[in-house]
Amino acid sequence: MRRAALLLALALLQTVPQAVQARPPQALACAVIAAPDGLDAQLADSMLTLDETRSKSAMDTLHTLVDRCAADQFLNDKEREAYFGYVLGRMARDGLDPRLKAEGIPADLIDKALDIGPGNANNPATQVTQGDLRRVSTALTEAGKDPAKVTPVGWGLITAWIAATAQMFDALRVLD
């Protein structure tokens, strides 16, 4: 009886369209979990500097991790590329978060101002716009922090956070 129920469940799962089957969180976390210490900080640096030469080592390490996890999860080329983007954005955010806190800028304030995160709009973004920065500036003001007192480093971190977040959620759309 148990075997028949299991076979029926498997048969039903195969009839569910792929878009409906959500990728389990542990599959998305594969490369993040396997990453060496400090890779998140290196990826955050790459989002801040956009210097391909300086970030080559970190990107090579990330490619190796992503390729291993993608093979384990049987991802096709399009999904593998999206998974790379997802992990890059996610790990860069992990590296940027403490830097934002050190500047007195809560990362969740940025996410809320731009309606990003689970259950939010997560509008696709190809670049950080002046409108994005105005919304963050308004949110800072509403939170009691004078945007004029945010240092150039702080604004660089905000911009990198927005770019990393867009990278992560744009890639997640392909994977879901």
PDB file of all heavy atoms in Angstrom, residues 141-175:
ATOM      1  N   THR A 141      15.523  59.909   5.361  1.00  0.00           N
ATOM      2  CA  THR A 141      14.953  61.079   6.029  1.00  0.00           C
ATOM      3  C   THR A 141      13.844  60.655   6.984  1.00  0.00           C
ATOM      4  O   THR A 141      13.796  61.102   8.140  1.00  0.00           O
ATOM      5  CB  THR A 141      14.419  62.086   4.994  1.00  0.00           C
ATOM      6  OG1 THR A 141      15.498  62.485   4.139  1.00  0.00           O
ATOM      7  CG2 THR A 141      13.807  63.300   5.655  1.00  0.00           C
ATOM      8  N   GLU A 142      12.949  59.794   6.500  1.00  0.00           N
ATOM      9  CA  GLU A 142      11.841  59.323   7.324  1.00  0.00           C
ATOM     10  C   GLU A 142      12.330  58.538   8.545  1.00  0.00           C
ATOM     11  O   GLU A 142      11.666  58.500   9.575  1.00  0.00           O
ATOM     12  CB  GLU A 142      10.875  58.481   6.494  1.00  0.00           C
ATOM     13  CG  GLU A 142      10.103  59.311   5.479  1.00  0.00           C
ATOM     14  CD  GLU A 142       9.308  58.469   4.486  1.00  0.00           C
ATOM     15  OE1 GLU A 142       9.401  57.216   4.526  1.00  0.00           O
ATOM     16  OE2 GLU A 142       8.601  59.072   3.657  1.00  0.00           O
ATOM     17  N   ALA A 143      13.494  57.910   8.419  1.00  0.00           N
ATOM     18  CA  ALA A 143      14.068  57.150   9.536  1.00  0.00           C
ATOM     19  C   ALA A 143      14.900  58.036  10.466  1.00  0.00           C
ATOM     20  O   ALA A 143      15.485  57.550  11.430  1.00  0.00           O
ATOM     21  CB  ALA A 143      14.934  56.016   8.997  1.00  0.00           C
ATOM     22  N   GLY A 144      14.960  59.346  10.158  1.00  0.00           N
ATOM     23  CA  GLY A 144      15.685  60.272  11.016  1.00  0.00           C
ATOM     24  C   GLY A 144      17.168  60.409  10.697  1.00  0.00           C
ATOM     25  O   GLY A 144      17.925  60.932  11.504  1.00  0.00           O
ATOM     26  N   LYS A 145      17.575  59.940   9.541  1.00  0.00           N
ATOM     27  CA  LYS A 145      18.986  60.060   9.148  1.00  0.00           C
ATOM     28  C   LYS A 145      19.067  61.038   7.980  1.00  0.00           C
ATOM     29  O   LYS A 145      18.411  60.868   6.962  1.00  0.00           O
ATOM     30  CB  LYS A 145      19.548  58.697   8.736  1.00  0.00           C
ATOM     31  CG  LYS A 145      21.026  58.754   8.364  1.00  0.00           C
ATOM     32  CD  LYS A 145      21.631  57.376   8.360  1.00  0.00           C
ATOM     33  CE  LYS A 145      23.077  57.367   7.965  1.00  0.00           C
ATOM     34  NZ  LYS A 145      23.986  57.946   8.914  1.00  0.00           N
ATOM     35  N   ASP A 146      19.866  62.068   8.130  1.00  0.00           N
ATOM     36  CA  ASP A 146      20.017  63.086   7.098  1.00  0.00           C
ATOM     37  C   ASP A 146      20.799  62.514   5.920  1.00  0.00           C
ATOM     38  O   ASP A 146      21.982  62.178   6.064  1.00  0.00           O
ATOM     39  CB  ASP A 146      20.747  64.298   7.675  1.00  0.00           C
ATOM     40  CG  ASP A 146      20.888  65.440   6.691  1.00  0.00           C
ATOM     41  OD1 ASP A 146      20.471  65.309   5.528  1.00  0.00           O
ATOM     42  OD2 ASP A 146      21.427  66.498   7.102  1.00  0.00           O
ATOM     43  N   PRO A 147      20.170  62.396   4.744  1.00  0.00           N
ATOM     44  CA  PRO A 147      20.858  61.838   3.571  1.00  0.00           C
ATOM     45  C   PRO A 147      22.094  62.649   3.179  1.00  0.00           C
ATOM     46  O   PRO A 147      23.051  62.095   2.632  1.00  0.00           O
ATOM     47  CB  PRO A 147      19.816  61.880   2.459  1.00  0.00           C
ATOM     48  CG  PRO A 147      18.518  62.107   3.116  1.00  0.00           C
ATOM     49  CD  PRO A 147      18.778  62.723   4.450  1.00  0.00           C
ATOM     50  N   ALA A 148      22.107  63.933   3.491  1.00  0.00           N
ATOM     51  CA  ALA A 148      23.266  64.767   3.163  1.00  0.00           C
ATOM     52  C   ALA A 148      24.487  64.377   3.992  1.00  0.00           C
ATOM     53  O   ALA A 148      25.619  64.696   3.616  1.00  0.00           O
ATOM     54  CB  ALA A 148      22.933  66.237   3.374  1.00  0.00           C
ATOM     55  N   LYS A 149      24.257  63.689   5.100  1.00  0.00           N
ATOM     56  CA  LYS A 149      25.370  63.273   5.950  1.00  0.00           C
ATOM     57  C   LYS A 149      25.881  61.872   5.623  1.00  0.00           C
ATOM     58  O   LYS A 149      26.830  61.400   6.248  1.00  0.00           O
ATOM     59  CB  LYS A 149      24.959  63.363   7.419  1.00  0.00           C
ATOM     60  CG  LYS A 149      24.768  64.801   7.861  1.00  0.00           C
ATOM     61  CD  LYS A 149      24.501  64.893   9.331  1.00  0.00           C
ATOM     62  CE  LYS A 149      24.347  66.381   9.697  1.00  0.00           C
ATOM     63  NZ  LYS A 149      23.995  66.568  11.079  1.00  0.00           N
ATOM     64  N   VAL A 150      25.241  61.218   4.649  1.00  0.00           N
ATOM     65  CA  VAL A 150      25.738  59.915   4.205  1.00  0.00           C
ATOM     66  C   VAL A 150      27.011  60.169   3.399  1.00  0.00           C
ATOM     67  O   VAL A 150      27.038  61.003   2.500  1.00  0.00           O
ATOM     68  CB  VAL A 150      24.682  59.165   3.351  1.00  0.00           C
ATOM     69  CG1 VAL A 150      25.262  57.889   2.761  1.00  0.00           C
ATOM     70  CG2 VAL A 150      23.438  58.865   4.182  1.00  0.00           C
ATOM     71  N   THR A 151      28.051  59.464   3.757  1.00  0.00           N
ATOM     72  CA  THR A 151      29.344  59.661   3.107  1.00  0.00           C
ATOM     73  C   THR A 151      29.319  59.110   1.680  1.00  0.00           C
ATOM     74  O   THR A 151      28.449  58.294   1.339  1.00  0.00           O
ATOM     75  CB  THR A 151      30.455  58.936   3.894  1.00  0.00           C
ATOM     76  OG1 THR A 151      30.218  57.512   3.790  1.00  0.00           O
ATOM     77  CG2 THR A 151      30.502  59.366   5.347  1.00  0.00           C
ATOM     78  N   PRO A 152      30.272  59.508   0.856  1.00  0.00           N
ATOM     79  CA  PRO A 152      30.380  58.895  -0.477  1.00  0.00           C
ATOM     80  C   PRO A 152      30.548  57.370  -0.390  1.00  0.00           C
ATOM     81  O   PRO A 152      30.004  56.649  -1.224  1.00  0.00           O
ATOM     82  CB  PRO A 152      31.622  59.558  -1.079  1.00  0.00           C
ATOM     83  CG  PRO A 152      31.685  60.892  -0.398  1.00  0.00           C
ATOM     84  CD  PRO A 152      31.209  60.632   1.009  1.00  0.00           C
ATOM     85  N   VAL A 153      31.243  56.903   0.632  1.00  0.00           N
ATOM     86  CA  VAL A 153      31.373  55.456   0.840  1.00  0.00           C
ATOM     87  C   VAL A 153      29.993  54.853   1.076  1.00  0.00           C
ATOM     88  O   VAL A 153      29.647  53.806   0.527  1.00  0.00           O
ATOM     89  CB  VAL A 153      32.336  55.141   2.014  1.00  0.00           C
ATOM     90  CG1 VAL A 153      32.264  53.678   2.418  1.00  0.00           C
ATOM     91  CG2 VAL A 153      33.757  55.527   1.646  1.00  0.00           C
ATOM     92  N   GLY A 154      29.194  55.516   1.918  1.00  0.00           N
ATOM     93  CA  GLY A 154      27.839  55.045   2.207  1.00  0.00           C
ATOM     94  C   GLY A 154      26.982  54.970   0.957  1.00  0.00           C
ATOM     95  O   GLY A 154      26.274  53.982   0.740  1.00  0.00           O
ATOM     96  N   TRP A 155      27.049  56.007   0.120  1.00  0.00           N
ATOM     97  CA  TRP A 155      26.262  55.990  -1.122  1.00  0.00           C
ATOM     98  C   TRP A 155      26.769  54.906  -2.074  1.00  0.00           C
ATOM     99  O   TRP A 155      25.987  54.265  -2.774  1.00  0.00           O
ATOM    100  CB  TRP A 155      26.249  57.363  -1.791  1.00  0.00           C
ATOM    101  CG  TRP A 155      25.317  58.300  -1.092  1.00  0.00           C
ATOM    102  CD1 TRP A 155      25.656  59.379  -0.336  1.00  0.00           C
ATOM    103  CD2 TRP A 155      23.887  58.204  -1.039  1.00  0.00           C
ATOM    104  NE1 TRP A 155      24.527  59.960   0.184  1.00  0.00           N
ATOM    105  CE2 TRP A 155      23.421  59.269  -0.233  1.00  0.00           C
ATOM    106  CE3 TRP A 155      22.962  57.328  -1.567  1.00  0.00           C
ATOM    107  CZ2 TRP A 155      22.068  59.480   0.034  1.00  0.00           C
ATOM    108  CZ3 TRP A 155      21.602  57.527  -1.303  1.00  0.00           C
ATOM    109  CH2 TRP A 155      21.178  58.588  -0.509  1.00  0.00           C
ATOM    110  N   GLY A 156      28.073  54.666  -2.062  1.00  0.00           N
ATOM    111  CA  GLY A 156      28.626  53.568  -2.867  1.00  0.00           C
ATOM    112  C   GLY A 156      28.103  52.221  -2.395  1.00  0.00           C
ATOM    113  O   GLY A 156      27.766  51.348  -3.202  1.00  0.00           O
ATOM    114  N   LEU A 157      28.038  52.054  -1.078  1.00  0.00           N
ATOM    115  CA  LEU A 157      27.495  50.814  -0.505  1.00  0.00           C
ATOM    116  C   LEU A 157      26.019  50.647  -0.843  1.00  0.00           C
ATOM    117  O   LEU A 157      25.569  49.546  -1.172  1.00  0.00           O
ATOM    118  CB  LEU A 157      27.699  50.797   1.010  1.00  0.00           C
ATOM    119  CG  LEU A 157      29.140  50.646   1.489  1.00  0.00           C
ATOM    120  CD1 LEU A 157      29.244  50.979   2.974  1.00  0.00           C
ATOM    121  CD2 LEU A 157      29.656  49.246   1.202  1.00  0.00           C
ATOM    122  N   ILE A 158      25.263  51.740  -0.759  1.00  0.00           N
ATOM    123  CA  ILE A 158      23.833  51.695  -1.109  1.00  0.00           C
ATOM    124  C   ILE A 158      23.677  51.272  -2.566  1.00  0.00           C
ATOM    125  O   ILE A 158      22.865  50.397  -2.892  1.00  0.00           O
ATOM    126  CB  ILE A 158      23.157  53.056  -0.843  1.00  0.00           C
ATOM    127  CG1 ILE A 158      23.061  53.307   0.661  1.00  0.00           C
ATOM    128  CG2 ILE A 158      21.784  53.125  -1.508  1.00  0.00           C
ATOM    129  CD1 ILE A 158      22.676  54.734   1.043  1.00  0.00           C
ATOM    130  N   THR A 159      24.451  51.878  -3.442  1.00  0.00           N
ATOM    131  CA  THR A 159      24.373  51.556  -4.869  1.00  0.00           C
ATOM    132  C   THR A 159      24.752  50.092  -5.118  1.00  0.00           C
ATOM    133  O   THR A 159      24.076  49.388  -5.872  1.00  0.00           O
ATOM    134  CB  THR A 159      25.283  52.502  -5.672  1.00  0.00           C
ATOM    135  OG1 THR A 159      24.858  53.847  -5.429  1.00  0.00           O
ATOM    136  CG2 THR A 159      25.211  52.224  -7.155  1.00  0.00           C
ATOM    137  N   ALA A 160      25.817  49.628  -4.463  1.00  0.00           N
ATOM    138  CA  ALA A 160      26.229  48.234  -4.625  1.00  0.00           C
ATOM    139  C   ALA A 160      25.165  47.285  -4.084  1.00  0.00           C
ATOM    140  O   ALA A 160      24.895  46.231  -4.670  1.00  0.00           O
ATOM    141  CB  ALA A 160      27.567  48.000  -3.922  1.00  0.00           C
ATOM    142  N   TRP A 161      24.532  47.650  -2.957  1.00  0.00           N
ATOM    143  CA  TRP A 161      23.453  46.830  -2.382  1.00  0.00           C
ATOM    144  C   TRP A 161      22.297  46.710  -3.371  1.00  0.00           C
ATOM    145  O   TRP A 161      21.770  45.619  -3.587  1.00  0.00           O
ATOM    146  CB  TRP A 161      22.975  47.438  -1.068  1.00  0.00           C
ATOM    147  CG  TRP A 161      21.859  46.661  -0.421  1.00  0.00           C
ATOM    148  CD1 TRP A 161      20.522  46.849  -0.578  1.00  0.00           C
ATOM    149  CD2 TRP A 161      22.004  45.552   0.467  1.00  0.00           C
ATOM    150  NE1 TRP A 161      19.821  45.929   0.154  1.00  0.00           N
ATOM    151  CE2 TRP A 161      20.711  45.132   0.814  1.00  0.00           C
ATOM    152  CE3 TRP A 161      23.107  44.893   1.015  1.00  0.00           C
ATOM    153  CZ2 TRP A 161      20.486  44.055   1.677  1.00  0.00           C
ATOM    154  CZ3 TRP A 161      22.876  43.832   1.877  1.00  0.00           C
ATOM    155  CH2 TRP A 161      21.575  43.424   2.197  1.00  0.00           C
ATOM    156  N   ILE A 162      21.915  47.825  -3.967  1.00  0.00           N
ATOM    157  CA  ILE A 162      20.813  47.805  -4.930  1.00  0.00           C
ATOM    158  C   ILE A 162      21.176  46.925  -6.125  1.00  0.00           C
ATOM    159  O   ILE A 162      20.371  46.111  -6.583  1.00  0.00           O
ATOM    160  CB  ILE A 162      20.455  49.236  -5.380  1.00  0.00           C
ATOM    161  CG1 ILE A 162      19.907  50.050  -4.202  1.00  0.00           C
ATOM    162  CG2 ILE A 162      19.433  49.207  -6.527  1.00  0.00           C
ATOM    163  CD1 ILE A 162      19.790  51.542  -4.475  1.00  0.00           C
ATOM    164  N   ALA A 163      22.398  47.059  -6.633  1.00  0.00           N
ATOM    165  CA  ALA A 163      22.834  46.262  -7.782  1.00  0.00           C
ATOM    166  C   ALA A 163      22.879  44.773  -7.431  1.00  0.00           C
ATOM    167  O   ALA A 163      22.424  43.924  -8.216  1.00  0.00           O
ATOM    168  CB  ALA A 163      24.199  46.744  -8.263  1.00  0.00           C
ATOM    169  N   ALA A 164      23.408  44.438  -6.257  1.00  0.00           N
ATOM    170  CA  ALA A 164      23.485  43.039  -5.841  1.00  0.00           C
ATOM    171  C   ALA A 164      22.085  42.457  -5.657  1.00  0.00           C
ATOM    172  O   ALA A 164      21.823  41.310  -6.036  1.00  0.00           O
ATOM    173  CB  ALA A 164      24.282  42.921  -4.537  1.00  0.00           C
ATOM    174  N   THR A 165      21.191  43.250  -5.097  1.00  0.00           N
ATOM    175  CA  THR A 165      19.816  42.798  -4.887  1.00  0.00           C
ATOM    176  C   THR A 165      19.113  42.563  -6.212  1.00  0.00           C
ATOM    177  O   THR A 165      18.427  41.551  -6.396  1.00  0.00           O
ATOM    178  CB  THR A 165      19.045  43.830  -4.039  1.00  0.00           C
ATOM    179  OG1 THR A 165      19.736  43.997  -2.796  1.00  0.00           O
ATOM    180  CG2 THR A 165      17.625  43.381  -3.776  1.00  0.00           C
ATOM    181  N   ALA A 166      19.293  43.480  -7.148  1.00  0.00           N
ATOM    182  CA  ALA A 166      18.689  43.312  -8.471  1.00  0.00           C
ATOM    183  C   ALA A 166      19.232  42.051  -9.138  1.00  0.00           C
ATOM    184  O   ALA A 166      18.480  41.267  -9.721  1.00  0.00           O
ATOM    185  CB  ALA A 166      18.963  44.543  -9.332  1.00  0.00           C
ATOM    186  N   GLN A 167      20.536  41.851  -9.031  1.00  0.00           N
ATOM    187  CA  GLN A 167      21.174  40.656  -9.597  1.00  0.00           C
ATOM    188  C   GLN A 167      20.548  39.395  -9.015  1.00  0.00           C
ATOM    189  O   GLN A 167      20.199  38.462  -9.732  1.00  0.00           O
ATOM    190  CB  GLN A 167      22.673  40.699  -9.281  1.00  0.00           C
ATOM    191  CG  GLN A 167      23.456  39.483  -9.699  1.00  0.00           C
ATOM    192  CD  GLN A 167      23.788  39.503 -11.161  1.00  0.00           C
ATOM    193  OE1 GLN A 167      24.018  40.554 -11.729  1.00  0.00           O
ATOM    194  NE2 GLN A 167      23.802  38.360 -11.779  1.00  0.00           N
ATOM    195  N   MET A 168      20.397  39.374  -7.709  1.00  0.00           N
ATOM    196  CA  MET A 168      19.865  38.209  -7.022  1.00  0.00           C
ATOM    197  C   MET A 168      18.417  37.910  -7.434  1.00  0.00           C
ATOM    198  O   MET A 168      18.085  36.781  -7.791  1.00  0.00           O
ATOM    199  CB  MET A 168      19.948  38.438  -5.507  1.00  0.00           C
ATOM    200  CG  MET A 168      19.551  37.246  -4.678  1.00  0.00           C
ATOM    201  SD  MET A 168      19.738  37.565  -2.908  1.00  0.00           S
ATOM    202  CE  MET A 168      18.168  38.324  -2.539  1.00  0.00           C
ATOM    203  N   PHE A 169      17.561  38.931  -7.408  1.00  0.00           N
ATOM    204  CA  PHE A 169      16.155  38.686  -7.705  1.00  0.00           C
ATOM    205  C   PHE A 169      15.892  38.492  -9.198  1.00  0.00           C
ATOM    206  O   PHE A 169      15.003  37.715  -9.569  1.00  0.00           O
ATOM    207  CB  PHE A 169      15.266  39.793  -7.124  1.00  0.00           C
ATOM    208  CG  PHE A 169      15.012  39.602  -5.668  1.00  0.00           C
ATOM    209  CD1 PHE A 169      15.653  40.379  -4.721  1.00  0.00           C
ATOM    210  CD2 PHE A 169      14.134  38.621  -5.221  1.00  0.00           C
ATOM    211  CE1 PHE A 169      15.444  40.182  -3.366  1.00  0.00           C
ATOM    212  CE2 PHE A 169      13.913  38.409  -3.870  1.00  0.00           C
ATOM    213  CZ  PHE A 169      14.559  39.189  -2.938  1.00  0.00           C
ATOM    214  N   ASP A 170      16.655  39.134 -10.065  1.00  0.00           N
ATOM    215  CA  ASP A 170      16.509  38.881 -11.500  1.00  0.00           C
ATOM    216  C   ASP A 170      16.850  37.422 -11.800  1.00  0.00           C
ATOM    217  O   ASP A 170      16.163  36.758 -12.566  1.00  0.00           O
ATOM    218  CB  ASP A 170      17.400  39.816 -12.328  1.00  0.00           C
ATOM    219  CG  ASP A 170      16.889  41.254 -12.369  1.00  0.00           C
ATOM    220  OD1 ASP A 170      15.731  41.497 -11.936  1.00  0.00           O
ATOM    221  OD2 ASP A 170      17.643  42.130 -12.822  1.00  0.00           O
ATOM    222  N   ALA A 171      17.917  36.920 -11.203  1.00  0.00           N
ATOM    223  CA  ALA A 171      18.316  35.529 -11.406  1.00  0.00           C
ATOM    224  C   ALA A 171      17.296  34.566 -10.799  1.00  0.00           C
ATOM    225  O   ALA A 171      16.998  33.525 -11.378  1.00  0.00           O
ATOM    226  CB  ALA A 171      19.694  35.290 -10.800  1.00  0.00           C
ATOM    227  N   LEU A 172      16.760  34.929  -9.654  1.00  0.00           N
ATOM    228  CA  LEU A 172      15.778  34.080  -8.989  1.00  0.00           C
ATOM    229  C   LEU A 172      14.532  33.871  -9.848  1.00  0.00           C
ATOM    230  O   LEU A 172      13.936  32.803  -9.849  1.00  0.00           O
ATOM    231  CB  LEU A 172      15.411  34.684  -7.625  1.00  0.00           C
ATOM    232  CG  LEU A 172      14.780  33.777  -6.600  1.00  0.00           C
ATOM    233  CD1 LEU A 172      15.624  32.536  -6.365  1.00  0.00           C
ATOM    234  CD2 LEU A 172      14.585  34.531  -5.301  1.00  0.00           C
ATOM    235  N   ARG A 173      14.163  34.888 -10.614  1.00  0.00           N
ATOM    236  CA  ARG A 173      13.010  34.764 -11.520  1.00  0.00           C
ATOM    237  C   ARG A 173      13.242  33.648 -12.535  1.00  0.00           C
ATOM    238  O   ARG A 173      12.316  32.932 -12.884  1.00  0.00           O
ATOM    239  CB  ARG A 173      12.768  36.069 -12.278  1.00  0.00           C
ATOM    240  CG  ARG A 173      12.017  37.091 -11.513  1.00  0.00           C
ATOM    241  CD  ARG A 173      11.747  38.323 -12.401  1.00  0.00           C
ATOM    242  NE  ARG A 173      11.275  39.407 -11.601  1.00  0.00           N
ATOM    243  CZ  ARG A 173      12.033  40.208 -10.862  1.00  0.00           C
ATOM    244  NH1 ARG A 173      13.326  40.045 -10.844  1.00  0.00           N
ATOM    245  NH2 ARG A 173      11.509  41.166 -10.147  1.00  0.00           N
ATOM    246  N   VAL A 174      14.455  33.526 -13.029  1.00  0.00           N
ATOM    247  CA  VAL A 174      14.775  32.494 -14.009  1.00  0.00           C
ATOM    248  C   VAL A 174      14.740  31.122 -13.347  1.00  0.00           C
ATOM    249  O   VAL A 174      14.296  30.142 -13.949  1.00  0.00           O
ATOM    250  CB  VAL A 174      16.167  32.749 -14.652  1.00  0.00           C
ATOM    251  CG1 VAL A 174      16.557  31.608 -15.575  1.00  0.00           C
ATOM    252  CG2 VAL A 174      16.172  34.063 -15.394  1.00  0.00           C
ATOM    253  N   LEU A 175      15.183  31.059 -12.108  1.00  0.00           N
ATOM    254  CA  LEU A 175      15.264  29.775 -11.413  1.00  0.00           C
ATOM    255  C   LEU A 175      13.914  29.281 -10.911  1.00  0.00           C
ATOM    256  O   LEU A 175      13.739  28.083 -10.693  1.00  0.00           O
ATOM    257  CB  LEU A 175      16.239  29.881 -10.236  1.00  0.00           C
ATOM    258  CG  LEU A 175      17.694  30.065 -10.636  1.00  0.00           C
ATOM    259  CD1 LEU A 175      18.543  30.432  -9.423  1.00  0.00           C
ATOM    260  CD2 LEU A 175      18.239  28.840 -11.313  1.00  0.00           C
TER     261      LEU A 175
END
